[in-house]
PDB file of all heavy atoms in Angstrom:
ATOM      1  N   ARG A   1      -0.576  -2.848  -7.025  1.00 94.00           N
ATOM      2  CA  ARG A   1      -0.150  -3.284  -8.354  1.00 94.00           C
ATOM      3  C   ARG A   1      -0.444  -2.196  -9.369  1.00 94.00           C
ATOM      4  O   ARG A   1      -1.303  -1.335  -9.161  1.00 94.00           O
ATOM      5  CB  ARG A   1      -0.840  -4.583  -8.760  1.00 94.00           C
ATOM      6  CG  ARG A   1      -2.329  -4.470  -9.041  1.00 94.00           C
ATOM      7  CD  ARG A   1      -2.951  -5.825  -9.311  1.00 94.00           C
ATOM      8  NE  ARG A   1      -4.368  -5.691  -9.654  1.00 94.00           N
ATOM      9  CZ  ARG A   1      -4.824  -5.658 -10.913  1.00 94.00           C
ATOM     10  NH1 ARG A   1      -3.966  -5.746 -11.934  1.00 94.00           N
ATOM     11  NH2 ARG A   1      -6.118  -5.541 -11.156  1.00 94.00           N
ATOM     12  N   ILE A   2       0.299  -2.232 -10.453  1.00 95.00           N
ATOM     13  CA  ILE A   2       0.113  -1.289 -11.551  1.00 95.00           C
ATOM     14  C   ILE A   2      -0.809  -1.917 -12.582  1.00 95.00           C
ATOM     15  O   ILE A   2      -0.609  -3.070 -12.993  1.00 95.00           O
ATOM     16  CB  ILE A   2       1.464  -0.916 -12.192  1.00 95.00           C
ATOM     17  CG1 ILE A   2       2.338  -0.183 -11.157  1.00 95.00           C
ATOM     18  CG2 ILE A   2       1.258  -0.037 -13.423  1.00 95.00           C
ATOM     19  CD1 ILE A   2       3.733   0.110 -11.644  1.00 95.00           C
ATOM     20  N   VAL A   3      -1.797  -1.179 -13.000  1.00 95.00           N
ATOM     21  CA  VAL A   3      -2.756  -1.662 -14.000  1.00 95.00           C
ATOM     22  C   VAL A   3      -2.356  -1.103 -15.357  1.00 95.00           C
ATOM     23  O   VAL A   3      -2.223   0.118 -15.526  1.00 95.00           O
ATOM     24  CB  VAL A   3      -4.195  -1.217 -13.640  1.00 95.00           C
ATOM     25  CG1 VAL A   3      -5.176  -1.724 -14.691  1.00 95.00           C
ATOM     26  CG2 VAL A   3      -4.571  -1.716 -12.252  1.00 95.00           C
ATOM     27  N   GLY A   4      -2.133  -1.989 -16.304  1.00 94.00           N
ATOM     28  CA  GLY A   4      -1.719  -1.572 -17.638  1.00 94.00           C
ATOM     29  C   GLY A   4      -2.708  -1.962 -18.711  1.00 94.00           C
ATOM     30  O   GLY A   4      -3.579  -2.812 -18.509  1.00 94.00           O
ATOM     31  N   GLU A   5      -2.561  -1.312 -19.861  1.00 92.00           N
ATOM     32  CA  GLU A   5      -3.418  -1.614 -21.002  1.00 92.00           C
ATOM     33  C   GLU A   5      -2.648  -1.324 -22.280  1.00 92.00           C
ATOM     34  O   GLU A   5      -2.154  -0.216 -22.483  1.00 92.00           O
ATOM     35  CB  GLU A   5      -4.695  -0.771 -20.935  1.00 92.00           C
ATOM     36  CG  GLU A   5      -5.672  -1.044 -22.084  1.00 92.00           C
ATOM     37  CD  GLU A   5      -6.912  -0.181 -21.988  1.00 92.00           C
ATOM     38  OE1 GLU A   5      -7.472  -0.073 -20.865  1.00 92.00           O
ATOM     39  OE2 GLU A   5      -7.318   0.403 -23.016  1.00 92.00           O
ATOM     40  N   ASN A   6      -2.476  -2.342 -23.128  1.00 92.00           N
ATOM     41  CA  ASN A   6      -1.742  -2.206 -24.389  1.00 92.00           C
ATOM     42  C   ASN A   6      -0.325  -1.670 -24.174  1.00 92.00           C
ATOM     43  O   ASN A   6       0.173  -0.840 -24.951  1.00 92.00           O
ATOM     44  CB  ASN A   6      -2.506  -1.299 -25.359  1.00 92.00           C
ATOM     45  CG  ASN A   6      -3.871  -1.839 -25.718  1.00 92.00           C
ATOM     46  OD1 ASN A   6      -4.049  -3.062 -25.840  1.00 92.00           O
ATOM     47  ND2 ASN A   6      -4.841  -0.964 -25.896  1.00 92.00           N
ATOM     48  N   GLY A   7       0.306  -2.147 -23.115  1.00 91.00           N
ATOM     49  CA  GLY A   7       1.684  -1.755 -22.851  1.00 91.00           C
ATOM     50  C   GLY A   7       1.846  -0.400 -22.197  1.00 91.00           C
ATOM     51  O   GLY A   7       2.977   0.083 -22.065  1.00 91.00           O
ATOM     52  N   HIS A   8       0.747   0.241 -21.787  1.00 94.00           N
ATOM     53  CA  HIS A   8       0.818   1.558 -21.162  1.00 94.00           C
ATOM     54  C   HIS A   8       0.184   1.523 -19.771  1.00 94.00           C
ATOM     55  O   HIS A   8      -0.759   0.756 -19.539  1.00 94.00           O
ATOM     56  CB  HIS A   8       0.099   2.612 -22.018  1.00 94.00           C
ATOM     57  CG  HIS A   8       0.729   2.822 -23.354  1.00 94.00           C
ATOM     58  ND1 HIS A   8       1.824   3.643 -23.549  1.00 94.00           N
ATOM     59  CD2 HIS A   8       0.412   2.312 -24.574  1.00 94.00           C
ATOM     60  CE1 HIS A   8       2.160   3.636 -24.834  1.00 94.00           C
ATOM     61  NE2 HIS A   8       1.320   2.838 -25.477  1.00 94.00           N
ATOM     62  N   VAL A   9       0.687   2.355 -18.881  1.00 95.00           N
ATOM     63  CA  VAL A   9       0.116   2.460 -17.546  1.00 95.00           C
ATOM     64  C   VAL A   9      -1.247   3.135 -17.627  1.00 95.00           C
ATOM     65  O   VAL A   9      -1.409   4.163 -18.298  1.00 95.00           O
ATOM     66  CB  VAL A   9       1.042   3.277 -16.619  1.00 95.00           C
ATOM     67  CG1 VAL A   9       0.369   3.532 -15.277  1.00 95.00           C
ATOM     68  CG2 VAL A   9       2.353   2.542 -16.411  1.00 95.00           C
ATOM     69  N   ARG A  10      -2.220   2.552 -16.951  1.00 96.00           N
ATOM     70  CA  ARG A  10      -3.550   3.139 -16.920  1.00 96.00           C
ATOM     71  C   ARG A  10      -3.992   3.533 -15.518  1.00 96.00           C
ATOM     72  O   ARG A  10      -4.759   4.472 -15.344  1.00 96.00           O
ATOM     73  CB  ARG A  10      -4.577   2.157 -17.512  1.00 96.00           C
ATOM     74  CG  ARG A  10      -4.412   1.908 -18.993  1.00 96.00           C
ATOM     75  CD  ARG A  10      -4.448   3.209 -19.763  1.00 96.00           C
ATOM     76  NE  ARG A  10      -4.259   3.017 -21.202  1.00 96.00           N
ATOM     77  CZ  ARG A  10      -3.819   3.935 -22.023  1.00 96.00           C
ATOM     78  NH1 ARG A  10      -3.507   5.140 -21.541  1.00 96.00           N
ATOM     79  NH2 ARG A  10      -3.669   3.709 -23.306  1.00 96.00           N
ATOM     80  N   ALA A  11      -3.511   2.811 -14.522  1.00 96.00           N
ATOM     81  CA  ALA A  11      -3.932   3.101 -13.156  1.00 96.00           C
ATOM     82  C   ALA A  11      -3.002   2.377 -12.192  1.00 96.00           C
ATOM     83  O   ALA A  11      -2.166   1.570 -12.590  1.00 96.00           O
ATOM     84  CB  ALA A  11      -5.379   2.670 -12.923  1.00 96.00           C
ATOM     85  N   ILE A  12      -3.170   2.690 -10.924  1.00 96.00           N
ATOM     86  CA  ILE A  12      -2.436   2.001  -9.883  1.00 96.00           C
ATOM     87  C   ILE A  12      -3.425   1.604  -8.793  1.00 96.00           C
ATOM     88  O   ILE A  12      -4.213   2.421  -8.321  1.00 96.00           O
ATOM     89  CB  ILE A  12      -1.298   2.876  -9.309  1.00 96.00           C
ATOM     90  CG1 ILE A  12      -0.496   2.100  -8.284  1.00 96.00           C
ATOM     91  CG2 ILE A  12      -1.818   4.182  -8.746  1.00 96.00           C
ATOM     92  CD1 ILE A  12       0.804   2.783  -7.892  1.00 96.00           C
ATOM     93  N   GLU A  13      -3.430   0.323  -8.465  1.00 96.00           N
ATOM     94  CA  GLU A  13      -4.329  -0.187  -7.436  1.00 96.00           C
ATOM     95  C   GLU A  13      -3.684   0.015  -6.064  1.00 96.00           C
ATOM     96  O   GLU A  13      -2.510  -0.309  -5.870  1.00 96.00           O
ATOM     97  CB  GLU A  13      -4.631  -1.666  -7.665  1.00 96.00           C
ATOM     98  CG  GLU A  13      -5.677  -2.226  -6.714  1.00 96.00           C
ATOM     99  CD  GLU A  13      -6.029  -3.671  -7.018  1.00 96.00           C
ATOM    100  OE1 GLU A  13      -5.772  -4.106  -8.172  1.00 96.00           O
ATOM    101  OE2 GLU A  13      -6.534  -4.363  -6.119  1.00 96.00           O
ATOM    102  N   CYS A  14      -4.435   0.561  -5.123  1.00 95.00           N
ATOM    103  CA  CYS A  14      -3.902   0.899  -3.811  1.00 95.00           C
ATOM    104  C   CYS A  14      -4.784   0.318  -2.713  1.00 95.00           C
ATOM    105  O   CYS A  14      -5.901  -0.146  -2.964  1.00 95.00           O
ATOM    106  CB  CYS A  14      -3.824   2.420  -3.632  1.00 95.00           C
ATOM    107  SG  CYS A  14      -2.977   3.294  -4.959  1.00 95.00           S
ATOM    108  N   GLU A  15      -4.275   0.356  -1.500  1.00 95.00           N
ATOM    109  CA  GLU A  15      -5.072  -0.027  -0.343  1.00 95.00           C
ATOM    110  C   GLU A  15      -4.755   0.900   0.821  1.00 95.00           C
ATOM    111  O   GLU A  15      -3.642   1.428   0.939  1.00 95.00           O
ATOM    112  CB  GLU A  15      -4.808  -1.482   0.054  1.00 95.00           C
ATOM    113  CG  GLU A  15      -3.408  -1.772   0.534  1.00 95.00           C
ATOM    114  CD  GLU A  15      -3.243  -3.223   0.957  1.00 95.00           C
ATOM    115  OE1 GLU A  15      -4.250  -3.953   0.996  1.00 95.00           O
ATOM    116  OE2 GLU A  15      -2.097  -3.627   1.253  1.00 95.00           O
ATOM    117  N   ASN A  16      -5.740   1.113   1.671  1.00 95.00           N
ATOM    118  CA  ASN A  16      -5.561   1.939   2.855  1.00 95.00           C
ATOM    119  C   ASN A  16      -4.787   1.165   3.913  1.00 95.00           C
ATOM    120  O   ASN A  16      -4.856  -0.058   3.997  1.00 95.00           O
ATOM    121  CB  ASN A  16      -6.912   2.371   3.418  1.00 95.00           C
ATOM    122  CG  ASN A  16      -7.619   3.346   2.499  1.00 95.00           C
ATOM    123  OD1 ASN A  16      -7.095   4.400   2.171  1.00 95.00           O
ATOM    124  ND2 ASN A  16      -8.823   2.991   2.066  1.00 95.00           N
ATOM    125  N   MET A  17      -4.047   1.906   4.733  1.00 93.00           N
ATOM    126  CA  MET A  17      -3.231   1.302   5.772  1.00 93.00           C
ATOM    127  C   MET A  17      -3.618   1.865   7.137  1.00 93.00           C
ATOM    128  O   MET A  17      -4.198   2.951   7.251  1.00 93.00           O
ATOM    129  CB  MET A  17      -1.745   1.586   5.517  1.00 93.00           C
ATOM    130  CG  MET A  17      -1.262   1.231   4.123  1.00 93.00           C
ATOM    131  SD  MET A  17      -1.329  -0.526   3.775  1.00 93.00           S
ATOM    132  CE  MET A  17       0.005  -1.108   4.830  1.00 93.00           C
ATOM    133  N   ILE A  18      -3.293   1.105   8.183  1.00 92.00           N
ATOM    134  CA  ILE A  18      -3.390   1.576   9.551  1.00 92.00           C
ATOM    135  C   ILE A  18      -2.036   1.343  10.204  1.00 92.00           C
ATOM    136  O   ILE A  18      -1.269   0.490   9.757  1.00 92.00           O
ATOM    137  CB  ILE A  18      -4.497   0.854  10.351  1.00 92.00           C
ATOM    138  CG1 ILE A  18      -4.260  -0.663  10.325  1.00 92.00           C
ATOM    139  CG2 ILE A  18      -5.866   1.196   9.808  1.00 92.00           C
ATOM    140  CD1 ILE A  18      -5.258  -1.428  11.167  1.00 92.00           C
ATOM    141  N   LEU A  19      -1.707   2.108  11.241  1.00 89.00           N
ATOM    142  CA  LEU A  19      -0.415   1.971  11.895  1.00 89.00           C
ATOM    143  C   LEU A  19      -0.523   1.045  13.100  1.00 89.00           C
ATOM    144  O   LEU A  19      -1.415   1.184  13.934  1.00 89.00           O
ATOM    145  CB  LEU A  19       0.107   3.336  12.335  1.00 89.00           C
ATOM    146  CG  LEU A  19       0.439   4.322  11.212  1.00 89.00           C
ATOM    147  CD1 LEU A  19       0.995   5.615  11.792  1.00 89.00           C
ATOM    148  CD2 LEU A  19       1.420   3.718  10.222  1.00 89.00           C
ATOM    149  N   GLY A  20       0.427   0.091  13.169  1.00 87.00           N
ATOM    150  CA  GLY A  20       0.462  -0.856  14.270  1.00 87.00           C
ATOM    151  C   GLY A  20       1.553  -0.512  15.261  1.00 87.00           C
ATOM    152  O   GLY A  20       1.802   0.653  15.570  1.00 87.00           O
ATOM    153  N   GLU A  21       2.255  -1.541  15.742  1.00 86.00           N
ATOM    154  CA  GLU A  21       3.317  -1.351  16.713  1.00 86.00           C
ATOM    155  C   GLU A  21       4.553  -0.746  16.048  1.00 86.00           C
ATOM    156  O   GLU A  21       4.728  -0.809  14.834  1.00 86.00           O
ATOM    157  CB  GLU A  21       3.683  -2.686  17.367  1.00 86.00           C
ATOM    158  CG  GLU A  21       2.536  -3.342  18.126  1.00 86.00           C
ATOM    159  CD  GLU A  21       2.087  -2.509  19.305  1.00 86.00           C
ATOM    160  OE1 GLU A  21       2.959  -1.841  19.907  1.00 86.00           O
ATOM    161  OE2 GLU A  21       0.882  -2.517  19.625  1.00 86.00           O
ATOM    162  N   GLU A  22       5.442  -0.154  16.871  1.00 82.00           N
ATOM    163  CA  GLU A  22       6.669   0.435  16.355  1.00 82.00           C
ATOM    164  C   GLU A  22       7.631  -0.650  15.872  1.00 82.00           C
ATOM    165  O   GLU A  22       7.705  -1.737  16.451  1.00 82.00           O
ATOM    166  CB  GLU A  22       7.362   1.271  17.435  1.00 82.00           C
ATOM    167  CG  GLU A  22       6.610   2.537  17.805  1.00 82.00           C
ATOM    168  CD  GLU A  22       7.401   3.418  18.753  1.00 82.00           C
ATOM    169  OE1 GLU A  22       8.490   2.979  19.188  1.00 82.00           O
ATOM    170  OE2 GLU A  22       6.936   4.526  19.066  1.00 82.00           O
ATOM    171  N   ASP A  23       8.369  -0.350  14.778  1.00 77.00           N
ATOM    172  CA  ASP A  23       9.360  -1.289  14.278  1.00 77.00           C
ATOM    173  C   ASP A  23      10.735  -0.912  14.812  1.00 77.00           C
ATOM    174  O   ASP A  23      10.856  -0.099  15.726  1.00 77.00           O
ATOM    175  CB  ASP A  23       9.351  -1.341  12.744  1.00 77.00           C
ATOM    176  CG  ASP A  23       9.514   0.036  12.115  1.00 77.00           C
ATOM    177  OD1 ASP A  23      10.017   0.946  12.814  1.00 77.00           O
ATOM    178  OD2 ASP A  23       9.164   0.202  10.940  1.00 77.00           O
ATOM    179  N   SER A  24      11.794  -1.498  14.243  1.00 74.00           N
ATOM    180  CA  SER A  24      13.148  -1.321  14.772  1.00 74.00           C
ATOM    181  C   SER A  24      13.641   0.116  14.701  1.00 74.00           C
ATOM    182  O   SER A  24      14.504   0.520  15.484  1.00 74.00           O
ATOM    183  CB  SER A  24      14.123  -2.241  14.023  1.00 74.00           C
ATOM    184  OG  SER A  24      14.112  -1.965  12.626  1.00 74.00           O
ATOM    185  N   ASP A  25      13.143   0.921  13.763  1.00 71.00           N
ATOM    186  CA  ASP A  25      13.605   2.309  13.647  1.00 71.00           C
ATOM    187  C   ASP A  25      12.713   3.293  14.384  1.00 71.00           C
ATOM    188  O   ASP A  25      12.835   4.505  14.221  1.00 71.00           O
ATOM    189  CB  ASP A  25      13.732   2.710  12.172  1.00 71.00           C
ATOM    190  CG  ASP A  25      12.394   2.690  11.440  1.00 71.00           C
ATOM    191  OD1 ASP A  25      11.366   2.367  12.070  1.00 71.00           O
ATOM    192  OD2 ASP A  25      12.376   2.988  10.230  1.00 71.00           O
ATOM    193  N   GLY A  26      11.795   2.779  15.213  1.00 74.00           N
ATOM    194  CA  GLY A  26      10.976   3.644  16.042  1.00 74.00           C
ATOM    195  C   GLY A  26       9.719   4.162  15.377  1.00 74.00           C
ATOM    196  O   GLY A  26       8.960   4.915  16.001  1.00 74.00           O
ATOM    197  N   ARG A  27       9.479   3.785  14.129  1.00 76.00           N
ATOM    198  CA  ARG A  27       8.265   4.216  13.436  1.00 76.00           C
ATOM    199  C   ARG A  27       7.221   3.104  13.504  1.00 76.00           C
ATOM    200  O   ARG A  27       7.546   1.926  13.434  1.00 76.00           O
ATOM    201  CB  ARG A  27       8.570   4.570  11.978  1.00 76.00           C
ATOM    202  CG  ARG A  27       9.508   5.746  11.826  1.00 76.00           C
ATOM    203  CD  ARG A  27       9.646   6.157  10.381  1.00 76.00           C
ATOM    204  NE  ARG A  27      10.206   5.106   9.545  1.00 76.00           N
ATOM    205  CZ  ARG A  27      10.286   5.169   8.218  1.00 76.00           C
ATOM    206  NH1 ARG A  27       9.820   6.226   7.583  1.00 76.00           N
ATOM    207  NH2 ARG A  27      10.839   4.191   7.531  1.00 76.00           N
ATOM    208  N   ARG A  28       5.969   3.497  13.628  1.00 83.00           N
ATOM    209  CA  ARG A  28       4.894   2.506  13.714  1.00 83.00           C
ATOM    210  C   ARG A  28       4.745   1.778  12.380  1.00 83.00           C
ATOM    211  O   ARG A  28       4.720   2.400  11.316  1.00 83.00           O
ATOM    212  CB  ARG A  28       3.597   3.184  14.124  1.00 83.00           C
ATOM    213  CG  ARG A  28       3.648   3.779  15.530  1.00 83.00           C
ATOM    214  CD  ARG A  28       2.407   4.578  15.838  1.00 83.00           C
ATOM    215  NE  ARG A  28       1.220   3.735  15.817  1.00 83.00           N
ATOM    216  CZ  ARG A  28      -0.029   4.198  15.915  1.00 83.00           C
ATOM    217  NH1 ARG A  28      -0.223   5.507  16.005  1.00 83.00           N
ATOM    218  NH2 ARG A  28      -1.060   3.379  15.890  1.00 83.00           N
ATOM    219  N   LYS A  29       4.627   0.489  12.451  1.00 86.00           N
ATOM    220  CA  LYS A  29       4.599  -0.344  11.249  1.00 86.00           C
ATOM    221  C   LYS A  29       3.225  -0.288  10.581  1.00 86.00           C
ATOM    222  O   LYS A  29       2.201  -0.534  11.221  1.00 86.00           O
ATOM    223  CB  LYS A  29       4.942  -1.788  11.615  1.00 86.00           C
ATOM    224  CG  LYS A  29       5.112  -2.708  10.423  1.00 86.00           C
ATOM    225  CD  LYS A  29       5.559  -4.082  10.877  1.00 86.00           C
ATOM    226  CE  LYS A  29       5.773  -5.003   9.681  1.00 86.00           C
ATOM    227  NZ  LYS A  29       6.234  -6.350  10.111  1.00 86.00           N
ATOM    228  N   PRO A  30       3.185   0.042   9.278  1.00 87.00           N
ATOM    229  CA  PRO A  30       1.893   0.089   8.585  1.00 87.00           C
ATOM    230  C   PRO A  30       1.336  -1.304   8.325  1.00 87.00           C
ATOM    231  O   PRO A  30       2.073  -2.226   7.993  1.00 87.00           O
ATOM    232  CB  PRO A  30       2.230   0.804   7.268  1.00 87.00           C
ATOM    233  CG  PRO A  30       3.678   0.522   7.043  1.00 87.00           C
ATOM    234  CD  PRO A  30       4.313   0.433   8.401  1.00 87.00           C
ATOM    235  N   GLN A  31       0.028  -1.437   8.504  1.00 90.00           N
ATOM    236  CA  GLN A  31      -0.657  -2.702   8.276  1.00 90.00           C
ATOM    237  C   GLN A  31      -1.845  -2.465   7.367  1.00 90.00           C
ATOM    238  O   GLN A  31      -2.473  -1.409   7.401  1.00 90.00           O
ATOM    239  CB  GLN A  31      -1.111  -3.313   9.604  1.00 90.00           C
ATOM    240  CG  GLN A  31       0.023  -3.604  10.576  1.00 90.00           C
ATOM    241  CD  GLN A  31      -0.476  -4.064  11.926  1.00 90.00           C
ATOM    242  OE1 GLN A  31      -1.659  -3.936  12.240  1.00 90.00           O
ATOM    243  NE2 GLN A  31       0.411  -4.607  12.743  1.00 90.00           N
ATOM    244  N   SER A  32      -2.148  -3.465   6.572  1.00 89.00           N
ATOM    245  CA  SER A  32      -3.231  -3.325   5.605  1.00 89.00           C
ATOM    246  C   SER A  32      -4.585  -3.265   6.297  1.00 89.00           C
ATOM    247  O   SER A  32      -4.862  -4.011   7.235  1.00 89.00           O
ATOM    248  CB  SER A  32      -3.202  -4.509   4.630  1.00 89.00           C
ATOM    249  OG  SER A  32      -4.318  -4.471   3.762  1.00 89.00           O
ATOM    250  N   ALA A  33      -5.426  -2.345   5.818  1.00 88.00           N
ATOM    251  CA  ALA A  33      -6.813  -2.281   6.283  1.00 88.00           C
ATOM    252  C   ALA A  33      -7.654  -3.160   5.364  1.00 88.00           C
ATOM    253  O   ALA A  33      -7.617  -3.016   4.140  1.00 88.00           O
ATOM    254  CB  ALA A  33      -7.320  -0.842   6.252  1.00 88.00           C
ATOM    255  N   LYS A  34      -8.388  -4.077   5.930  1.00 81.00           N
ATOM    256  CA  LYS A  34      -9.128  -5.058   5.139  1.00 81.00           C
ATOM    257  C   LYS A  34     -10.197  -4.389   4.271  1.00 81.00           C
ATOM    258  O   LYS A  34     -10.832  -3.423   4.666  1.00 81.00           O
ATOM    259  CB  LYS A  34      -9.767  -6.094   6.061  1.00 81.00           C
ATOM    260  CG  LYS A  34      -8.759  -6.929   6.843  1.00 81.00           C
ATOM    261  CD  LYS A  34      -9.473  -7.958   7.709  1.00 81.00           C
ATOM    262  CE  LYS A  34      -8.452  -8.809   8.464  1.00 81.00           C
ATOM    263  NZ  LYS A  34      -9.126  -9.818   9.335  1.00 81.00           N
ATOM    264  N   ALA A  35     -10.390  -4.957   3.087  1.00 83.00           N
ATOM    265  CA  ALA A  35     -11.448  -4.515   2.164  1.00 83.00           C
ATOM    266  C   ALA A  35     -11.398  -3.012   1.924  1.00 83.00           C
ATOM    267  O   ALA A  35     -12.409  -2.312   1.995  1.00 83.00           O
ATOM    268  CB  ALA A  35     -12.817  -4.927   2.684  1.00 83.00           C
TER     269      ALA A  35
END
């Protein structure tokens, strides 16, 4: 999510990912890493 303050962007909240099984296009599907 994007973190805003007074109508302006201040930061972006992110999370780390891990790669799981391959999807339909042959690339491994990213999955959220907990906490």
Side-chain angles (χ1 to χ4, degrees):
R1 69 185 183 96
I2 296 175
V3 180
E5 181 181 315
N6 299 324
H8 296 278
V9 173
R10 293 304 179 203
I12 183 168
E13 186 176 339
C14 308
E15 65 178 353
N16 291 303
M17 308 295 289
I18 56 176
L19 295 182
E21 299 296 327
E22 291 187 355
D23 54 21
S24 58
D25 63 0
R27 296 187 298 172
R28 295 173 63 187
K29 187 175 182 179
Q31 300 174 346
S32 174
K34 296 181 179 179

